[in-house]
Amino acid sequence: MKVKNNRTISVNKSVKPIHITLRIAPKLIINDTYYVSFGKNEVSTCILIGIVDKEKIRVGIKNNSKIGYGDIYIVNNNEIGTSPEEAVINEQVF
């Protein structure tokens, strides 16, 4: 694992996503820190902002601003991780 910049962490290429049927959502706690990967083994730190429904959650990607997060995304609850490696394992593959 290597921090590329203040927003992105690179995870070893040997870590691979798993099939959606094998992913397990972590315990979800509002305002806790998690990790999310949108591909290429690049991970961003995020904050759980809210739970939309039983499958969807709202996360804010941390940035350099003083508010703590910038970009906001809605993702499935099993697409985040409690570590950068877990985020890659749980990433959605198209």
Side-chain angles (χ1 to χ4, degrees), residues 2 5-6 9 16 18-19 21 32-33 38-39 42 47 53 57-59 61 69-70 82-83 85 93-94:
K2 179 177 119 183
N5 56 46
N6 289 338
I9 301 166
K16 303 286 184 199
I18 61 173
H19 192 270
T21 59
D32 261 11
T33 300
F38 294 109
E42 301 291 322
I47 298 169
D53 61 29
I57 58 173
R58 183 175 286 116
V59 295
I61 303 297
Y69 56 86
T82 56
S83 69
E85 291 80 9
V93 180
F94 295 99

Side-chain angles (χ1 to χ4, degrees), residues 4-81:
K4 282 184 67 175
N5 56 46
N6 289 338
R7 288 185 62 156
T8 308
I9 301 166
S10 290
V11 174
N12 189 304
K13 297 290 182 191
S14 67
V15 179
K16 303 286 184 199
I18 61 173
H19 192 270
I20 190 170
T21 59
L22 302 174
R23 296 191 309 223
I24 299 171
K27 182 177 178 182
L28 300 174
I29 301 171
I30 304 272
N31 292 324
D32 261 11
T33 300
Y34 297 91
Y35 300 89
V36 64
S37 176
F38 294 109
K40 299 182 182 178
N41 286 52
E42 301 291 322
V43 176
S44 295
T45 305
C46 65
I47 298 169
L48 178 59
I49 297 172
I51 298 172
V52 177
D53 61 29
K54 69 177 187 169
E55 294 178 3
K56 302 284 185 192
I57 58 173
R58 183 175 286 116
V59 295
I61 303 297
K62 285 188 175 181
N63 64 14
N64 295 330
S65 74
K66 293 185 179 191
I67 62 170
Y69 56 86
D71 303 327
I72 296 175
Y73 296 92
I74 294 179
V75 298
N76 288 332
N77 60 10
N78 63 359
E79 292 177 344
I80 63 172

